Amino acid sequence: MVPDVAFSSYYGRPVVKPPPWDEKIAAYLFLGGVAGGSALLGAGAQLTGRPALRRNSRLAALAATGLGTLALVADLGRPERFLNMLRTVKLTSPMNLGSWILSAFGAGAAVAAAAEVDRMARRRLPLGPLRRLLRAAEGPAGLHAGALGPPLAVYTAILLADTATPTWHGAHRHLPFVFAGSASLAAGGLGMVTTGAGEAAPARRLAVLGVLADLAATAVMEARIDPVVAEPLHRGRPGQALRWAQRCLVAGGIGALLGGRRRPVAVGSGLALLAGSALTRWAIFEAGIASARDPRYTIEPQRRRLAARRAAGIVDDAITTVD
């Protein structure tokens, strides 16, 4: 009998090619969540008559969209590469659909934010007859951006999970829920920072719900995915970042729940939530890159799945064969 040996790939090279992404994409993951959550919060403020929260959320959505788009284009290298993705619609491509979601969202967020800027400038912008058109389009544009906010916030999770990167793909059932919670708490935290306590009650509620959803979804994800591909989430810099993220979320959530009506507590809690959301996205991004670089995270789960199929008696397909 020959004992089982540890797997080693040719020359120690990765089995799965790591994606050629760097911190700019990690920033885009975070900013997309802030933009989507802020637009949803702004639409709610629009419908409930909270002008300060509506204004701040609309401006935050546009600013996060602009910065995120710059980060995405910088990673692509040339702006025309982004435009090339809009030449067609491919329902099976998360990247293609994400490009359309980002473009449509950006248009609505820009119109809604432009109306707020004109209002802040006391209608002194040289818009001429366009001001009447802007006023008519402001409300529908704000609701349009709010409706596209959730897809914008979570499509990046589907984009990551659709790759062969072990940790991302292993968490494909749970990653969108983690990103949804992260986007909600980040938008709520930013609303708490930028808006006075008198109108920030929806932001506080969104932040607390986002913290609960993020922590619960992360716990379920770590418990249910293959323990091998979950290792990068607990080791090295990603593991340290995720632990700090959870501490920030707990502190920010408690502050929002118990002391959010006090301005200093609200600002501190909001900043903690923003930091926690950014650390969560960065940790998941870095954990995926680390899992692609080590052949173990590709081969060991494959062997475990193969053994489970054989144990279940499945030996007559293209995946399993009789020894």
Side-chain angles (χ1 to χ4, degrees), residues 16 19 21 49 59 80 90 93 99 107 126-127 137 148 150 164 169 179 205-206 210-211 221 239 241 259 304 307 321:
V16 176
W21 299 334
L59 295 178
E80 62 269 21
K90 189 175 182 181
S93 171
S99 301
L127 297 178
L148 289 177
H169 186 71
F179 275 38
R205 288 193 289 268
L206 183 64
V211 169
M221 177 183 70
R304 188 177 291 109
T321 58

Side-chain angles (χ1 to χ4, degrees), residues 76 80-88 95-96 99-100:
L76 292 173
E80 62 269 21
R81 289 178 175 172
F82 178 80
L83 298 177
N84 287 339
M85 289 189 285
L86 301 177
R87 294 186 301 174
T88 184
M95 183 174 293
N96 178 259
S99 301
W100 280 105

Side-chain angles (χ1 to χ4, degrees), residues 87-183:
R87 294 186 301 174
T88 184
V89 176
K90 189 175 182 181
L91 299 180
T92 57
S93 171
M95 183 174 293
N96 178 259
L97 290 182
S99 301
W100 280 105
I101 291 172
L102 176 61
S103 300
F105 174 89
V111 171
E116 296 293 350
V117 171
D118 183 52
R119 192 176 293 110
M120 291 168 62
R122 298 182 180 180
R123 301 185 179 183
R124 295 175 182 175
L125 297 180
L127 297 178
L130 292 178
R131 179 170 286 108
R132 182 176 299 178
L133 180 62
L134 181 63
R135 287 286 176 261
E138 173 188 0
L143 297 178
H144 167 80
L148 289 177
L152 178 68
V154 303
Y155 98 85
T156 48
I158 300 172
L159 175 63
L160 297 182
D162 196 49
T163 67
T165 303
T167 297
W168 295 341
H169 186 71
H172 70 280
R173 296 182 183 275
H174 314 287
L175 206 55
F177 296 98
V178 176
F179 275 38
S182 175

